Amino acid sequence: MQLPVFNRLTIKSKLIIVVLFVSFSSILIIAYLGWQMGKRSLTQSVSNQLTSVRAAKSDEIKTYLQTLRNHVKTLCEDRMVIAAMVDLHQGFRELNEKSIPPQWEQSLQNYYEKEFFPKISDKGSGELRFNNYRPVSLAAKYLQHYYIAANSHPSEQKAQLLDASDGSAYSRFHAQYQPLFQNLVQSMGCDNLLLIDYKTGDIIYSVRKEPDYGTNLNTGPYRTSQLGKLVETVRQTFDPGAIQTTDFEAYRPVYGSQMAFIAGPIYDGSKLVGILAVRLSVAEINRIMTNNQSWVSHGLGKSGEAYLVGSDYRMRSPSRFALQDKLNKIQPLETEAIKRALAGETGTDILKDYRGISVLTAYAPLKIGDLKWAILAQMDTAEVLAPVNNLQLWLLSASTILIVMFTFLSIIVAYFVNRPIAAIKKGIQQLQAGNYETTVNINADDEFGEIGRAFNAMVISLGEKLGEIDQKNRENEALMLNIVPFTIAQRLKQGELLIADHVKHVTILYARVVGIAELSQRLPASEIIQLLTRLFHEFDQAAERFGLERKSTIDTDYMVICGLTIPRLDHVKRTVDFGVEMLNILHRMELGQNLALGLRIGIHTGSVTAGVIGTKKFGYNVWGESVYLVMRLYTQAELNSIVMTRAAYEWVADSYTLVQYRPMHIDIIGEVDTWILVAATRVSMSKVDLVQSSFAKVQPIADTVAELFYQRLFELSPSLRPLFKGNMADQQRKLMSTLAIAVEGLRKPAAVIKVVQELGKRHADYGVKAEYYDVVGEALLWTLEQGLKEAFTPQVRRAWEEAYNFLSEIMKDAAAQVEHQNIGV
């Protein structure tokens, strides 16, 4: 059988592959068999453990409920219970002959509306009305008034009242039997005990005094509750010892909590005297099922649990995860395991649980009297199989180590066998990759040695030839890049003969260096050339940083375009930033005393047509209305300023401070609206708010603030003192007035810019230098800190710094224009 891929491999690779295949296959088979056996054994062991837990919990629940049923059966025959039923029934009938004061009705209504209804308002639907819950009989009103509404004990402790002190026979009997029944309920682990008139359905006694106390289960508000249905069942099967049970349901008198009832007939000999009902809460069942949440100590690990589910598919004991996550409600759980258990099946299996997680579960039905429940014990499959997975990881780790060892040994053997061939192969690969200085080192006198020496000689000769070719190519490419952009050069190299592009979105900057003619009268031509070379070199470097392409111009003009051959989304902003940098470059240049240059800059964004024109002598030219417009735009700009059209302004209006300039008339095109760049920043409105609100706090102490400012200014720079020759009081008032105008104008910079520019020009005439502005700013911030104290927060300081820098830059630019005019540019 032919294996083309395998045949193309080297001997070394084939040897390594064979060793790895044999070792890895054998180790994988052994690991898989071990994992399967371990999984089967461990699953069976955990299944037995879960079955044991399920059986133990099932026995405990059955024992608990059966014991309660036996207790109820015994109590129904107990002489004390019979006597209590007879006595309390007699007292209850006497209460029906009592008169009820009208204010008791209001007292009961206040209890229901202020205490009971708020606690059950979220337990069901429908409007809660007192008329639907009010006790009807005189006895019920009497008992609920004294033992509930007028009972001073809290809601959960109403049972502490033994005697209502009303002088009635009922209260006398109640005081006699209440302590006995309280102890009885506590010892049985029940929630409540009730005595019911089997004929009328009246609840004549309840250990816990709750809203069902005294009500009638035939006609009252709880006639359809599980207790009402249970009493009706006992009436129909009133045989002595016939104990009936209800499942857990929400019982409204205990605020909708889940409750169940066990009830039986009370006989005095052969005479039926009443019905005894015991109420069960889920607390004891929860204790049995959760063992106070000590899951690990009962063999259920980190994810195991045991729980009960009723025939309505709702939990009868809380889930471990519901307890941990403090969940108050669990939706009906219709998992496969629960369905099987409720259908009467018993077994263990790996299934999805109510969380959607794979678990190993042991399930079985649980039938106690009329109750049909399901009991389940389960553990997450991931935890069950964790030891097997750890074993698998260990086997894989050991396998990896063995494979590495075998691989290392096979590599050593293959190395010595294949070393000469590998050396020559590597040399050829290096040569193919363009490394023409590579050599092979084969220390042998056989044929491989001769091949190696011949290979080295060939590489040396080839390298020399290719070096000469590369040098010529570099020279030609450098020459071409001086004529056309890089992308155009690549297109030409690929053989594209006709290159003509229409570019819709570019930004063009056209500038003229002003003052060359004046310098020519003072400096020799060689120095002028050196100066322009240095200036344009810095312009070119900055243009490259900002991603702009320079185009050929005449005279001392300078034109760059952004987005021509390389599309850029921010082409307008890049161009404006470059224009600002051009002014900075010009300002940084040291030309000597009484020598200066200036710039007039215009910016426009639009579409252009570009292409390569010529064959032997060619160039990459651009033309169109946008080029025509921008070449005339700069002519009407002020010295050392940047003027731009509306098309460019709308792209960067939010990033810079610009004011509308005068309209410019351009032949063919007509009137063009223009804007002039005032500052390369904008002060955000949030910081303007901080500046204005903080300045309002110092205005009431303006005189003190102004005096502190000048004191601090002269401390920082005593050399500034001679600049202030007038009355300092007047100077201080001017300072605060100027500050007020500047601060107010921050919200609308266009309205205050002219004022700030004129202020900068006047200060230039006074002899104020650019470096003085830093000292003034430091003095101003210090003065504000003294005046505002704790209100001068870091946020306020940063806002003032940004505002001052914004205004001072405008003043310095205006002063620089005065300086250039004085020199004669």
Side-chain angles (χ1 to χ4, degrees):
M1 183 176 62
Q2 297 295 324
L3 296 174
V5 176
F6 188 77
N7 290 337
R8 288 197 296 268
L9 297 177
T10 63
I11 296 174
K12 179 180 179 180
S13 300
K14 292 177 181 178
L15 180 60
I16 294 173
I17 289 173
V18 171
V19 172
L20 288 178
F21 177 77
V22 173
S23 58
F24 185 75
S25 299
S26 59
I27 292 171
L28 184 63
I29 293 172
I30 294 172
Y32 176 76
L33 294 176
W35 181 78
Q36 285 290 347
M37 293 177 63
K39 177 183 177 182
R40 189 179 303 110
S41 176
L42 187 60
T43 302
Q44 185 60 45
S45 175
V46 176
S47 296
N48 294 338
Q49 181 179 343
L50 291 175
T51 302
S52 176
V53 171
R54 183 202 67 201
K57 299 294 184 183
S58 177
D59 290 344
E60 286 188 68
I61 293 294
K62 287 180 179 179
T63 300
Y64 167 66
L65 293 178
Q66 190 60 49
T67 300
L68 282 179
R69 288 170 60 89
N70 293 338
H71 277 313
V72 170
K73 181 178 180 180
T74 301
L75 289 174
C76 288
E77 301 171 356
D78 187 89
R79 297 306 306 170
M80 184 271 289
V81 174
I82 296 171
M85 183 70 210
V86 172
D87 292 340
L88 291 170
H89 183 264
Q90 177 185 346
F92 189 86
R93 283 188 302 171
E94 292 177 2
L95 293 180
N96 273 321
E97 300 174 0
K98 297 281 187 179
S99 61
I100 303 299
Q103 59 268 29
W104 285 17
E105 286 279 349
Q106 186 60 46
S107 173
L108 288 171
Q109 184 173 355
N110 289 340
Y111 164 76
Y112 274 90
E113 292 179 350
K114 295 181 180 180
E115 294 189 37
F116 181 60
F117 289 165
K119 294 181 179 179
I120 65 171
S121 60
D122 60 342
K123 304 295 184 180
S125 59
E127 184 180 358
L128 298 174
R129 296 181 180 178
F130 174 64
N131 286 337
N132 295 337
Y133 289 85
R134 65 194 299 271
V136 178
S137 68
L138 295 177
K141 294 178 180 179
Y142 194 96
L143 293 178
Q144 288 204 9
H145 169 74
Y146 275 110
Y147 289 94
I148 297 179
N151 190 340
S152 61
H153 291 87
S155 297
E156 298 298 325
Q157 300 179 19
K158 299 290 186 184
Q160 301 301 320
L161 179 62
L162 301 181
D163 191 344
S165 301
D166 59 336
S168 66
Y170 184 94
S171 293
R172 185 173 69 256
F173 292 135
H174 183 276
Q176 174 184 350
Y177 292 112
Q178 177 72 1
L180 300 176
F181 283 129
Q182 276 185 297
N183 293 333
L184 182 61
V185 167
Q186 185 175 3
S187 64
M188 291 173 62
C190 298
D191 190 64
N192 196 9
L193 183 145
L194 305 98
L195 298 178
I196 303 164
D197 187 332
Y198 77 96
K199 292 181 179 179
T200 64
D202 290 321
I203 301 176
I204 65 172
Y205 173 76
S206 170
V207 173
R208 294 167 62 93
K209 303 303 184 284
E210 293 162 338
D212 57 354
Y213 183 34
T215 60
N216 188 284
L217 294 177
N218 293 342
T219 61
Y222 309 111
R223 62 186 179 277
T224 60
S225 67
Q226 67 265 47
L227 178 60
K229 297 175 183 177
L230 180 64
V231 168
E232 182 61 27
T233 302
V234 173
R235 282 192 188 132
Q236 294 175 4
T237 56
F238 53 83
D239 295 335
I243 305 302
Q244 306 295 331
T245 307
T246 71
D247 204 340
F248 283 92
E249 291 182 22
Y251 189 52
R252 184 153 285 201
V254 286
Y255 315 120
S257 298
Q258 295 288 320
M259 296 293 172
F261 290 89
I262 300 177
I266 303 174
Y267 277 89
D268 184 6
S270 60
K271 181 182 178 182
L272 178 64
V273 296
I275 296 174
L276 171 70
V278 173
R279 193 173 74 202
L280 285 69
S281 72
V282 296
E284 184 62 21
I285 290 178
N286 291 348
R287 185 195 66 78
I288 294 173
M289 295 304 296
T290 64
N291 294 106
N292 295 322
Q293 302 182 35
S294 56
W295 312 96
V296 176
S297 62
H298 286 77
L300 292 174
K302 297 179 180 179
S303 63
E305 61 175 334
Y307 56 92
L308 297 170
V309 179
S311 57
D312 58 355
Y313 291 97
R314 294 182 181 273
M315 282 193 172
R316 295 296 183 261
S317 64
S319 147
R320 175 181 191 172
F321 303 99
L323 291 171
Q324 291 173 351
D325 298 336
K326 297 181 171 54
L327 300 175
N328 295 319
K329 182 179 180 182
I330 293 182
Q331 299 297 327
L333 313 176
E334 298 190 23
T335 66
E336 181 63 26
I338 294 174
K339 291 179 180 178
R340 292 180 186 180
L342 291 177
E345 299 180 26
T346 300
T348 59
D349 204 346
I350 295 178
L351 300 167
K352 296 286 186 180
D353 73 346
Y354 57 90
R355 298 168 296 155
I357 294 175
S358 176
V359 297
L360 178 61
T361 178
Y363 54 87
L366 179 62
K367 190 174 186 307
I368 308 171
D370 298 329
L371 298 179
K372 293 181 179 180
W373 291 351
I375 182 168
L376 300 94
Q378 67 181 40
M379 185 181 294
D380 288 1
T381 306
E383 184 176 4
V384 172
L385 300 179
V388 176
N389 293 333
N390 291 335
L391 173 63
Q392 183 184 26
L393 181 62
W394 184 89
L395 289 173
L396 289 175
S397 300
S399 302
T400 303
I401 294 173
L402 291 174
I403 291 172
V404 171
M405 291 176 59
F406 286 128
T407 303
F408 181 72
L409 291 175
S410 64
I411 289 173
I412 292 176
V413 174
Y415 172 76
F416 287 105
V417 174
N418 200 49
R419 182 169 59 176
I421 298 175
I424 296 173
K425 177 183 176 182
K426 183 178 179 182
I428 294 173
Q429 290 173 340
Q430 290 290 323
L431 190 60
Q432 290 175 339
N435 183 3
Y436 301 109
E437 297 181 357
T438 185
T439 59
V440 296
N441 185 18
I442 301 176
N443 295 321
D445 295 329
D446 54 13
E447 290 81 357
F448 286 118
E450 293 178 4
I451 294 173
R453 289 187 288 272
F455 176 83
N456 292 338
M458 180 190 67
V459 169
I460 294 172
S461 176
L462 183 60
E464 292 174 352
K465 299 298 183 182
L466 291 175
E468 295 175 1
I469 296 173
D470 287 342
Q471 179 62 30
K472 295 296 182 181
N473 287 338
R474 285 193 296 270
E475 292 174 358
N476 293 335
E477 188 170 348
L479 182 60
M480 180 176 289
L481 291 178
N482 286 330
I483 301 174
V484 298
F486 176 79
T487 55
I488 302 301
Q490 294 300 312
R491 292 168 66 180
L492 289 171
K493 289 170 63 176
Q494 292 171 4
E496 194 170 346
L497 299 178
L498 179 62
I499 297 178
D501 302 315
H502 181 72
V503 186
K504 293 184 178 180
H505 302 290
V506 299
T507 301
I508 311 170
L509 179 147
Y510 200 95
R512 168 160 290 184
V513 179
V514 181
I516 294 297
E518 289 78 2
L519 287 181
S520 299
Q521 298 175 1
R522 304 181 186 183
L523 299 175
S526 60
E527 292 187 21
I528 296 292
I529 294 300
Q530 289 178 358
L531 174 64
L532 288 176
T533 300
R534 180 158 58 93
L535 179 63
F536 277 43
H537 175 69
E538 291 197 30
F539 286 170
D540 291 342
Q541 285 186 322
E544 186 175 349
R545 290 198 307 272
F546 285 99
L548 281 73
E549 302 171 25
R550 181 183 173 188
K551 294 297 160 192
S552 298
T553 56
I554 60 173
D555 201 7
T556 56
D557 292 356
Y558 190 90
M559 184 174 76
V560 288
I561 303 178
C562 187
L564 182 61
T565 59
I566 300 176
R568 299 186 187 277
L569 294 176
D570 58 344
H571 52 91
V572 182
K573 186 177 185 305
R574 286 172 175 265
T575 306
V576 176
D577 288 342
F578 171 67
V580 174
E581 181 62 16
M582 289 180 72
L583 293 173
N584 293 335
I585 291 171
L586 189 65
H587 292 161
R588 289 196 299 265
M589 290 196 67
E590 297 180 0
L591 302 177
Q593 189 174 4
N594 297 326
L595 297 177
L597 292 176
L599 279 173
R600 300 183 192 276
I601 302 174
I603 295 176
H604 174 62
T605 183
S607 61
V608 297
T609 302
V612 176
I613 300 177
T615 54
K616 294 183 179 180
K617 294 183 179 181
F618 58 87
Y620 186 68
N621 296 338
V622 294
W623 61 90
E625 183 180 285
S626 296
V627 178
Y628 173 80
L629 190 155
V630 77
M631 290 178 68
R632 286 148 183 80
L633 183 65
Y634 80 93
T635 60
Q636 302 183 48
E638 294 182 3
L639 188 64
N640 291 335
S641 65
I642 300 175
V643 174
M644 64 185 70
T645 61
R646 178 185 295 275
Y649 163 77
E650 291 176 348
W651 279 78
V652 295
D654 295 334
S655 302
Y656 308 93
T657 302
L658 300 115
V659 295
Q660 189 159 11
Y661 197 44
R662 61 177 177 267
M664 294 185 179
H665 179 78
I666 297 178
D667 294 340
I668 301 175
I669 296 177
E671 294 292 325
V672 175
D673 293 333
T674 61
W675 278 258
I676 189 168
L677 179 70
V678 177
T681 59
R682 285 182 67 91
V683 183
S684 64
M685 286 299 103
S686 62
K687 292 185 178 176
V688 170
D689 292 339
L690 286 175
V691 170
Q692 291 182 342
S693 61
S694 59
F695 185 70
K697 296 177 182 177
V698 301
Q699 281 185 311
I701 55 171
D703 294 341
T704 303
V705 170
E707 183 178 354
L708 282 173
F709 169 77
Y710 283 109
Q711 289 177 0
R712 182 60 176 171
L713 180 63
F714 298 148
E715 288 177 5
L716 293 173
S717 182
S719 62
L720 294 179
R721 186 65 181 85
L723 297 177
F724 298 90
K725 300 175 181 179
N727 188 325
M728 286 306 297
D730 292 339
Q731 185 64 35
Q732 291 169 6
R733 285 192 294 274
K734 290 179 181 179
L735 168 69
M736 297 308 294
S737 175
T738 303
L739 271 177
I741 294 172
V743 168
E744 181 61 29
L746 286 174
R747 192 167 296 279
K748 295 182 178 179
V752 79
I753 282 172
K754 288 293 184 183
V755 177
V756 176
Q757 287 175 333
E758 290 300 323
L759 186 63
K761 293 177 181 179
R762 289 202 304 274
H763 278 72
D765 292 337
Y766 299 153
V768 175
K769 299 179 180 179
E771 57 267 23
Y772 293 168
Y773 285 93
D774 293 339
V775 180
V776 173
E778 183 178 351
L780 176 62
L781 292 174
W782 179 88
T783 303
L784 289 170
E785 184 176 7
Q786 307 310 307
L788 292 172
K789 300 187 183 304
E790 64 275 1
F792 194 66
T793 62
Q795 292 83 359
V796 173
R797 182 183 184 92
R798 285 193 292 272
W800 272 96
E801 286 175 347
E802 186 173 323
Y804 177 77
N805 290 336
F806 170 72
L807 295 172
S808 63
E809 286 300 321
I810 297 175
M811 293 177 67
K812 285 190 284 186
D813 288 343
Q817 290 183 359
V818 172
E819 180 181 350
H820 282 76
Q821 291 169 359
N822 292 337
I823 293 174
V825 174

